[in-house]
Amino acid sequence: MNVTIYDVAREANVSMATVSRVVNGNPNVKPATRKKVQEVIERLGYRPNAVARGLASKKTTTVGVIIPDISSTIFAELARGIEDIATMYKYNIILSNSDQNKDKELHLLNTMLAKQVDGIVFMSGNITGEHIAEFEKSPVPIVLANSIADSEKIPSVNIDSEQAAFDAVSLFIKEGHKDIGMVIGPLNEPINKDKMLAGYKRALQEAGLDYREEYVFEGDYTYESGLEAFEKMLELERKPTAVYVGSDEMAVGVIQGAKDHGYDVPNDLEVISSDNTKLALMVRPQLTTVVQPLYDIGAVAMRHQTKLMNKEEVTDLKVILPHRIETRNSTTGLPEKN
């Protein structure tokens, strides 16, 4: 049978209130009494009932985390940032995979609320009006990490993805490239269509280069979709000499596809990726990437959440973290190309 607070109180010959004060670190307990209660707790192996404590305090010190896929290096890094800050502030997390499925996301959201979590950190590439309606009626705060929503009321932590794409494509343009492709994630996701693609177009426009629809290849963030994108490049009469890729995994697929067809990266095709996961250093040549501070996005989102859960003042609901470009061997900095 489970040892209860009543068992500890009886064995230590104190009230249950005294045991509760000892467990919760309340200083208003005599040192001798505290020592006696702690010895009984250790001897009996008593563990406080988190559910009962949550019911009494109306807090469970638990945060729900909903992500598309924990096996993805991107989301694994984000989740690590969330978990480290949660631990620092003495919160537990419940982690769930949504498989980027809207129905499952909404189901998990309501499941987390039913478990009486104190808050939710949510990640999704496509946040719809249904999501926003659920977020806005949630009894606990919800913070988005690496996700955007068409609502000023929902707190979020991101980088400026539009500017990141602009910076990457502008680097190619400065090197003299005129035929610049883009391998992008699903275009039904606002972060791709409204941010990254917009940055790509803006860089071309400001340089006086034409936007060519056939130079944009839609993928799904996977290695296989990167391979497929390069195969489609081969079908073009005038092929890109440089390509900006929306994820490291797709970029590895592009590079491998190029190698399979006898192309040299970076001399025949330069590649800039996004995210800067461990894959960027594992592939050869190593990837020049837009460095997205994934761990920091998760960590800041969780810190934001702790403030909201504790009703602390939050001055900026929309946090934008800085990005930079890390130059490696998939680009050359070659002089102007003809």
Side-chain angles (χ1 to χ4, degrees):
M1 293 179 64
N2 291 332
V3 177
T4 68
I5 190 171
Y6 173 77
D7 297 323
V8 175
R10 183 183 58 194
E11 189 75 14
N13 196 27
V14 297
S15 69
M16 287 191 289
T18 298
V19 177
S20 179
R21 282 193 286 269
V22 171
V23 169
N24 290 302
N26 190 313
N28 297 322
V29 181
K30 293 179 180 179
T33 302
R34 183 184 301 279
K35 181 180 179 183
K36 180 171 64 172
V37 171
Q38 288 173 335
E39 287 174 350
V40 172
I41 286 173
E42 186 173 346
R43 177 159 51 84
L44 297 182
Y46 170 66
R47 295 291 181 271
N49 186 322
V51 174
R53 293 172 72 184
L55 289 172
S57 65
K58 296 185 180 179
K59 288 187 176 182
T60 60
T61 62
T62 301
V63 175
V65 179
I66 300 173
I67 66 174
D69 182 6
I70 189 59
S71 67
S72 162
T73 50
I74 297 171
F75 297 117
E77 189 76 2
L78 280 159
R80 183 57 190 262
I82 293 168
E83 203 277 335
D84 282 356
I85 299 302
T87 299
M88 182 184 299
Y89 285 90
K90 301 190 184 323
Y91 282 91
N92 302 306
I93 66 169
I94 301 174
L95 183 63
S96 293
N97 288 283
S98 67
D99 301 318
Q100 198 79 329
N101 178 288
K102 185 186 76 171
D103 291 338
K104 189 173 181 181
E105 287 171 345
L106 295 173
H107 171 73
L108 287 171
L109 182 66
N110 284 291
T111 299
M112 294 288 188
L113 294 175
K115 291 182 181 295
Q116 303 294 306
V117 295
D118 295 336
I120 294 173
V121 179
F122 190 91
M123 286 169 250
S124 175
N126 190 16
I127 294 176
T128 66
E130 286 184 71
H131 288 94
I132 293 171
E134 292 295 322
F135 295 162
E136 291 183 347
K137 70 181 183 183
S138 168
V140 301
I142 293 175
V143 175
L144 304 180
N146 203 40
S147 308
I148 59 174
D150 188 18
S151 171
E152 293 302 314
K153 299 177 183 177
I154 311 299
S156 63
V157 182
N158 292 286
I159 66 164
D160 186 340
S161 297
E162 195 267 353
Q163 185 64 41
F166 175 88
D167 292 345
V169 177
S170 294
L171 182 60
F172 284 142
I173 293 169
K174 287 176 183 176
E175 291 179 358
H177 291 281
K178 293 180 175 62
D179 299 312
I180 303 168
M182 184 177 198
V183 181
I184 196 168
L187 286 170
N188 67 328
E189 297 181 6
I191 201 165
N192 292 318
K193 182 180 179 181
D194 300 334
K195 299 293 183 181
M196 297 181 74
L197 184 59
Y200 168 77
K201 289 180 177 179
R202 179 163 68 90
L204 295 176
Q205 182 181 25
E206 291 190 10
L209 299 175
D210 292 333
Y211 168 69
R212 300 173 63 180
E213 190 173 345
E214 66 270 24
Y215 275 8
V216 177
F217 307 90
E218 185 176 4
D220 61 2
Y221 305 117
T222 64
Y223 169 83
E224 290 76 15
S225 67
L227 285 173
E228 291 172 8
F230 185 80
E231 293 291 334
K232 291 176 182 176
M233 289 183 209
L234 292 177
E235 297 172 4
L236 298 175
E237 183 175 348
R238 184 168 177 171
K239 300 169 181 58
T241 59
V243 61
Y244 174 52
V245 188
S247 78
D248 289 345
E249 196 167 329
M250 289 195 297
V252 173
V254 169
I255 288 175
Q256 189 57 55
K259 288 181 176 180
D260 289 346
H261 288 277
Y263 281 68
D264 179 86
V265 177
N267 292 312
D268 298 324
L269 178 71
E270 294 197 48
V271 178
I272 296 179
S273 183
S274 183
D275 297 332
N276 197 44
T277 63
K278 292 179 181 179
L279 282 174
L281 296 175
M282 293 166 67
V283 68
R284 293 295 182 272
Q286 292 184 335
L287 281 168
T288 294
T289 65
V290 172
V291 177
Q292 207 174 163
L294 298 168
Y295 178 94
D296 292 346
I297 290 173
V300 172
M302 184 62 214
R303 179 65 184 109
H304 218 46
Q305 183 61 274
T306 63
K307 290 181 179 179
L308 292 169
M309 290 185 296
N310 291 298
K311 296 182 170 37
E312 297 176 28
E313 182 181 2
V314 176
T315 56
D316 189 4
L317 290 180
K318 306 291 184 182
V319 178
I320 301 296
L321 297 182
H323 66 273
R324 61 185 174 83
I325 295 179
E326 181 74 29
T327 303
R328 299 191 182 99
N329 297 327
S330 63
T331 53
T332 63
L334 293 173
E336 183 169 338
K337 296 174 172 58
N338 297 320

